[in-house]
Amino acid sequence: ELTVEERNLLSVAYKNGIGSRRASWRIVSSIEQKEESKGNDGNVKMIRDYKKTLQKELSEICDDILILLDKDLIPACQTGESKVFF
């Protein structure tokens, strides 16, 4: 079972990994809209390819944490506080 500090570190690490990619997604989406309005099809294609990369990274991070929770962390919970946290 993880300590409170370990749980908080896991939470912060996950939040930072997801948060930076979500911020990138928002910025890239904004740029995509601007390039579409300008009619820059080449740039739009590159942007969409990059968005696919971001989407894949987000999915992988989410899948990894869900697997970790399901296989290791939740089954190891012994206290109500840990169960509620996860």
Side-chain angles (χ1 to χ4, degrees):
E1 182 166 346
L2 297 179
T3 65
V4 172
E5 184 177 349
E6 290 169 333
R7 288 194 315 255
N8 287 337
L9 286 172
L10 175 66
S11 175
V12 168
Y14 173 74
K15 180 181 174 186
N16 288 343
I18 291 294
S20 63
R21 284 162 182 84
R22 288 181 64 217
S24 296
W25 179 272
R26 287 190 297 270
I27 292 167
V28 169
S29 292
S30 174
I31 294 169
E32 178 185 25
Q33 288 177 351
K34 290 177 185 175
E35 292 299 315
E36 280 181 332
S37 69
K38 293 178 185 176
N40 293 334
D41 294 335
N43 289 347
V44 171
K45 183 184 179 325
M46 283 192 309
I47 292 167
R48 289 187 178 152
D49 289 342
Y50 185 62
K51 280 177 70 174
K52 287 179 187 176
T53 301
L54 287 173
Q55 184 176 8
K56 182 180 177 211
E57 289 176 4
L58 282 165
S59 292
E60 288 173 355
I61 292 170
C62 291
D63 290 343
D64 288 346
I65 194 70
L66 288 172
I67 290 168
L68 181 64
L69 286 167
D70 287 340
K71 290 188 176 181
D72 298 315
L73 299 176
I74 293 173
C77 289
Q78 296 175 355
T79 65
E81 180 182 357
S82 292
K83 290 177 185 176
V84 169
F85 183 85
F86 294 124

